[in-house]
Amino acid sequence: GSNAPSDLTDLKSEKQRLHQMLRAYEKEFFLDHQRQVSSYADIRPVAAQYRRYKEIKKSIMALQQQQAGAAGSIGSGSGSGSGGGRDRERSRDRGRDRDYVGSSGGLGRI
């Protein structure tokens, strides 16, 4: 019960750290290869971090859905929801060069 908000905060901060690290890897890859990352071989050096990033995103969504279901429309629930919305908007703005992250669903199976 009471651990959920701190777990969510911890997950969000870990997600942000991973996101920044993975974006830095993508930028460096682009500088080295003059192309975007497009295959598993391209991300092999950071594959574990990609897997963790995807796991964290799923966990955050699950926790937010649990909180929304349990709390209804309590202010803290909608506040964290709007924060997530801003994060999604930022991702959409930069989405073109990270589409493969979402489309590489095979990472979880490898």
Side-chain angles (χ1 to χ4, degrees):
S2 61
N3 286 347
S6 67
D7 290 348
L8 189 57
T9 302
D10 291 346
L11 284 171
K12 284 183 175 183
S13 61
E14 185 180 354
K15 178 184 167 220
Q16 183 178 16
R17 282 193 305 273
L18 281 171
H19 181 78
Q20 289 169 347
M21 187 277 295
L22 293 170
R23 291 284 293 158
Y25 175 82
E26 292 168 15
K27 286 179 185 175
E28 188 175 319
F29 184 92
F30 183 80
L31 292 173
D32 290 346
H33 302 279
Q34 287 75 51
R35 66 179 177 85
Q36 301 293 338
V37 175
S38 62
S39 69
Y40 179 80
D42 293 345
I43 63 163
R44 185 167 285 134
V46 291
Q49 288 87 344
Y50 272 107
R51 274 195 295 270
R52 178 65 182 148
Y53 181 78
K54 289 175 71 173
E55 289 170 7
I56 290 171
K57 282 179 67 173
K58 283 183 187 174
S59 298
I60 288 171
M61 284 177 53
L63 281 171
Q64 286 176 333
Q65 287 173 348
Q66 283 178 359
Q67 287 179 354
S73 59
I74 289 177
S76 64
S78 65
S80 65
S82 68
R86 282 194 298 276
D87 194 28
R88 281 191 294 278
E89 285 173 28
R90 279 199 304 271
S91 295
R92 254 200 313 277
D93 292 342
R94 300 187 303 219
R96 279 187 301 255
D97 60 348
R98 15 171 297 170
D99 282 345
Y100 70 91
V101 175
S103 65
S104 61
L107 281 183
R109 295 190 296 272
I110 292 174

